[in-house]
Amino acid sequence: EETPPVHVSEEMPEFPGGMEAVTAFLAKEIKYPELARTNNIQGTVLIEFVVEKDGRVSNPKVLVPLFPDCDKEAMRGILAMPKWKPGKNMGKPVRCYFDVPVKFQL
């Protein structure tokens, strides 16, 4: 049976290239929703997800919503991410929660 994810691990999960690379990846991946653009909606969606033991991203969840179309697009962008370096406890990979802000700015 799969162990529940932890919120903190000795070695936290890492995106290849670090947090700057996460921002760059999402900037390329995310398409500003047309409805949000026409209504001048800007802000940040906070997404929580699990970095699995093999580095896959799973179970994304909107912690701080902005606008339904932006929330959906942020989730899509998170799920499109390549594998992460998993978090570790005592040298062994663990399932670990991670939060990433996804910014929408015109």
Side-chain angles (χ1 to χ4, degrees):
E1 186 171 296
E2 200 56 81
T3 53
V6 297
H7 284 277
V8 178
S9 56
E10 290 169 1
E11 279 180 60
M12 287 301 285
E14 221 178 279
F15 188 79
M19 283 313 289
E20 282 178 20
V22 171
T23 306
F25 174 84
L26 291 173
K28 268 201 330 240
E29 183 67 32
I30 299 284
K31 307 285 177 262
Y32 214 115
E34 199 49 48
L35 193 57
R37 185 183 294 282
T38 55
N39 287 293
N40 202 27
I41 290 165
Q42 299 185 76
T44 302
V45 179
L46 185 61
I47 304 282
E48 175 187 78
F49 53 91
V50 175
V51 176
E52 297 291 346
K53 290 179 184 181
D54 66 359
R56 281 178 305 114
V57 168
S58 71
N59 305 329
K61 182 167 84 182
V62 176
L63 290 185
V64 180
L66 172 63
F67 181 74
D69 292 5
C70 293
D71 300 348
K72 206 158 71 183
E73 181 61 9
M75 294 265 286
R76 190 196 63 73
I78 293 293
L79 283 171
M81 287 195 288
K83 285 188 174 184
W84 287 55
K85 184 177 150 205
K88 290 182 178 177
N89 278 340
M90 294 182 291
K92 290 189 165 47
V94 291
R95 302 176 75 217
C96 194
Y97 286 110
F98 206 88
D99 297 352
V100 168
V102 180
K103 288 184 175 39
F104 288 89
Q105 286 180 306
L106 292 171

